[in-house]
Amino acid sequence: MSQRPIVRFAPSPTGRIHIGNARTALLNWLFARREGGRFILRFDDTDRERSREEYARSIEEDLAWLGIKPDRIERQSQRLDRYAAAAEKLKSMGRLYPAYETADELDRRRKRQQARGLPPIYDRAALKLTAEERAALEAQGRKPHWRFKLKPEIVRWDDLVRGPSHIDCASLSDPILAREDGTYLYTLPSVVDDFEMGVTHVIRGEDHVTNTAVQIQIFDALAGGAPRFGHHNLLTDASGEGLSKRTGSLSIASLRESGVEALAAAALAVLTGSADSVRPVASLDDLARSFDLKHLSHGAARFDEAELRALSARTLHILPYAAVAERLKGLGVEGGEAFWLAVRGNLSTLAETAEWRRVVDGAIAPIVEEPAFLAEAAALLPEEPWDQSTWGRWTGKLKEATGRKGRALYHPLRLALTGREAGPELANLLPLIGRAKALDRLRARAA
Ligand code: GLU
């Protein structure tokens, strides 16, 4: 790619984002990241009634949790003069015209068209109004909304995901760009911003395919050319239900609170519904290297929370200490890299480290099933210093002395040393537990 891409994620701050929104954000982020490009977070907040600053903040937080740090943050509510200028330009070109129909009138007209077997396309009656008719309507107190005059042509683009695509604009109604009250629908501001912010690639859900045809015509009118577009398939929940900001299903906030790893949520959000197999990743860069927009499948894809939990565990199992050190500190879990490497393979959530920390240097209740065997084990416990080979040396001697092997040899030791049926490799845990604690536990009496 000769030019470094500039992409944007453009949520409306009308609710918390869900995993489907995160998918859009991540696909943009990874795309930019891989090519050394830039990522703009742009709040579509022209709907003043439904947009809230607290949602904007929570979206930033949710993205940060996923590992996305925007290079630039913009708010459409602060750029209204730019949209007004663009609207004026379109008017002067004869591409934006006033229309006075009420919602009821339009509805009745659509029903009549349908009854006659005609497609429910706006008939452009407003274009036929004379200046006097318009003046008369305005004298009645009617205010116009503004429609973009589409060219009745086939718009073609080479979709970054779906390949060559086209839409026949002759089959679309002229879209409304501005409402009676002077506010804008998302269509025009989005084009103005994409153009003025130098956006090179628009990657968004396939629910926007029709908008793309309309917006390409607006780009052509205002800027003489459009960016590249890519439309990814949408996610549903495990039952096939669409996701919605309103219901809060699969919100990033709820996933985070449930203790799943951000990297697992990111990997599954990107790899679900693609030809690439779902796998744990140790960083977003790792994901960026392997992902390809062309690998996304074309049908809706289910996002399965159970699969996420499993992937989250597999992610923890491969994370290096540096990736979790800060968070372990936040959890009050000490122990450094040796502790992390000893326990990570057994975790389902990071919070479980606290439990293994207690096993290593806290008070536990040893399970003592065979005191005589444990006494013998205690007597053979090597002197310190200990390392990972200590366990092998010790159990080797114990095997010779008692003739035990396999589970009969190891399991009573695990029960006494950890108070648990299962857990991390004892070769790794034993040096962390240390000789004094190990002796205490081996000599503990059964309750
Ligand atoms: N606010 C729009 C959405 O969230 C933005 C669409 C776009 O990316 O252009 O669907």
Side-chain angles (χ1 to χ4, degrees):
M1 200 169 300
S2 53
Q3 183 192 18
R4 300 214 159 172
I6 299 179
V7 300
R8 82 311 190 269
F9 173 55
S12 49
T14 54
R16 306 285 307 240
I17 53 171
H18 53 59
I19 197 74
N21 306 126
R23 176 176 171 84
T24 308
L26 284 159
L27 290 173
N28 277 284
W29 170 258
L30 297 174
F31 183 82
R33 184 91 185 171
R34 199 175 46 190
E35 313 284 344
R38 291 164 61 78
F39 175 99
I40 301 171
L41 169 60
R42 191 174 72 212
F43 290 113
D44 268 14
D45 59 352
T46 51
D47 184 339
R48 273 169 262 161
E49 237 152 66
R50 293 175 55 228
S51 297
R52 299 256 167 77
E53 188 51 35
E54 75 217 50
Y55 287 134
R57 269 199 305 274
S58 67
I59 289 172
E60 280 180 57
E61 275 167 30
D62 290 345
L63 292 179
W65 178 72
L66 286 164
I68 296 179
K69 237 179 96 356
D71 296 297
R72 180 171 163 188
I73 299 180
E74 294 283 350
R75 284 181 164 67
Q76 293 196 320
S77 54
Q78 286 164 15
R79 295 176 41 80
L80 298 176
D81 54 336
R82 308 304 308 151
Y83 313 142
E88 284 313 311
K89 188 165 172 193
L90 290 176
K91 284 179 202 171
S92 71
M93 300 167 87
R95 297 293 298 274
L96 193 63
Y97 62 91
Y100 294 84
E101 293 90 347
T102 63
D104 273 352
E105 281 165 0
L106 289 172
D107 201 39
R108 263 179 275 138
R109 212 177 285 176
R110 262 194 302 271
K111 288 198 177 114
R112 277 202 303 276
Q113 286 170 316
Q114 270 162 335
R116 285 160 51 205
L118 298 171
I121 299 173
Y122 178 62
D123 61 7
R124 292 185 163 169
L127 270 179
K128 292 168 203 121
L129 293 174
T130 62
E132 292 77 47
E133 285 167 327
R134 276 206 297 274
L137 285 165
E138 299 209 2
Q140 289 169 21
R142 289 225 199 176
K143 287 222 170 84
H145 50 270
W146 296 82
R147 286 190 188 258
F148 179 67
K149 192 173 169 201
L150 285 171
K151 289 188 180 166
E153 62 190 20
I154 295 177
V155 170
R156 296 176 195 279
W157 71 95
D158 186 11
D159 198 283
L160 296 160
V161 178
R162 297 145 59 109
S165 302
H166 67 271
I167 293 235
D168 184 358
C169 287
S171 65
L172 304 178
S173 294
D174 287 341
I176 298 172
L177 300 189
R179 303 185 184 90
E180 282 78 357
D181 64 2
T183 60
Y184 296 96
L185 285 99
Y186 123 95
T187 319
L188 177 65
S190 179
V191 169
V192 172
D193 289 347
D194 287 342
F195 171 56
E196 295 191 0
M197 294 172 191
V199 169
T200 56
H201 296 78
V202 174
I203 300 165
R204 56 187 180 182
E206 61 189 8
D207 48 335
H208 285 291
V209 165
T210 306
N211 290 337
T212 291
V214 168
Q215 288 181 321
I216 286 176
Q217 285 210 12
I218 303 177
F219 271 111
D220 286 343
L222 289 175
R228 300 275 321 259
F229 285 89
H231 298 90
H232 63 76
N233 55 342
L234 299 180
L235 296 185
T236 69
D237 66 16
S239 64
E241 205 58 44
L243 303 177
S244 130
K245 274 196 201 143
R246 222 168 357 91
T247 60
S249 56
L250 288 175
S251 74
I252 297 303
S254 68
L255 295 179
R256 179 171 51 196
E257 275 151 29
S258 76
V260 304
E261 287 300 301
L263 277 171
L268 196 58
V270 167
L271 298 174
T272 288
S274 85
D276 299 312
S277 50
V278 169
R279 62 182 179 91
V281 295
S283 68
L284 283 187
D285 282 330
D286 182 0
L287 194 56
R289 274 189 291 276
S290 64
F291 110 107
D292 189 333
L293 288 174
K294 289 264 187 283
H295 291 175
L296 298 181
S297 49
H298 295 180
R302 282 170 203 245
F303 188 90
D304 184 348
E305 243 186 295
E307 192 180 2
L308 175 59
R309 273 190 294 278
L311 185 65
S312 186
R314 287 167 64 207
T315 303
L316 286 168
H317 303 170
I318 63 164
L319 284 184
Y321 177 61
V324 293
E326 274 306 304
R327 291 167 61 207
L328 288 177
K329 219 186 275 168
L331 290 170
V333 174
E334 314 270 316
E337 183 162 20
F339 169 73
W340 172 249
L341 295 179
V343 304
R344 67 175 182 180
N346 274 80
L347 301 174
S348 307
T349 65
L350 194 76
E352 288 173 4
T353 50
E355 193 182 325
W356 292 116
R357 195 61 223 161
R358 261 195 312 284
V359 167
V360 164
D361 72 354
I364 59 149
I367 301 172
V368 176
E369 287 186 342
E370 299 176 82
F373 169 64
L374 294 178
E376 214 172 341
L380 287 174
L381 207 54
E383 289 302 320
E384 281 176 327
W386 283 4
D387 60 21
Q388 282 173 319
S389 67
T390 306
W391 169 257
R393 275 190 285 124
W394 178 40
T395 52
K397 278 194 232 149
L398 199 50
K399 182 176 177 180
E400 245 167 64
T402 62
R404 289 181 184 233
K405 54 183 179 44
R407 188 175 162 88
L409 173 65
Y410 301 122
H411 200 57
L413 299 178
R414 174 177 292 283
L415 291 176
L417 290 170
T418 69
R420 282 156 179 76
E421 289 282 339
E425 295 273 351
L426 281 165
N428 297 329
L429 280 189
L430 190 65
L432 300 173
I433 292 171
R435 193 166 194 278
K437 264 205 159 54
L439 270 183
D440 281 352
R441 291 177 184 177
L442 292 167
R443 289 174 177 155
R445 294 276 161 266

